[in-house]
Amino acid sequence: MGEDKFDISPEWVDGETKALEAPGDHRVELRLWLRLLTCSTLVESEVRRRLREEFDSTLPRFDLMAQLERAPDGMVLGEVSKRMMVSPGNITVLVERLTESGHISRTTLPTDRRVQIIALTPFGRAEFEKMAARHSDWISDLFAGLSAKEGGVLMDELAKLKRSIVAALARNT
């Protein structure tokens, strides 16, 4: 099979597959974008499935706990929202659920009772460590088809692409 040919089950038809059917109709940049999107979607879907099946959890909960794991003293709710690039309302729902399950604690700032600080509880930290270890295993498994050298080359090329995108965004603002 050629580089752009691969077996896909009939139920999985995405933009990349459609673009590969008529590559002359699509510029290389579009095909690259679709390839990146397809890979990202495949990985994200599998991580979501495994989090649900193995931990009865969700990717947003995992992401919130990952942010808090890096902040042993906790974080202000608004800062978590900015870091995760989601609305404060979405964070509030996650915080409620994780507080109810005992994974995180919520306190108010003594000097300003409007400010809430959230932190992993010892139980939450232990649970997150289990999830993070499995998450690492899953990603390794999904990327096992790449050698260390190929992974390094891909990282370098994606870094170049990121710089290109950032420069284009700066020109267009």
Side-chain angles (χ1 to χ4, degrees), residues 70-94:
R70 296 183 196 107
D73 296 327
M75 293 177 68
V76 174
L77 205 53
E79 179 62 24
V80 175
S81 174
K82 287 178 191 169
R83 286 190 186 191
M84 291 180 64
M85 298 182 285
V86 297
S87 73
N90 287 341
I91 293 296
T92 301
V93 171
L94 290 173

Side-chain angles (χ1 to χ4, degrees), residues 114-134:
R114 297 170 296 172
V115 178
Q116 292 187 25
I117 299 172
I118 57 174
L120 286 174
T121 62
F123 168 72
R125 188 168 300 284
E127 289 296 301
F128 176 75
E129 287 172 3
K130 291 177 202 171
M131 283 191 261
R134 292 295 293 140

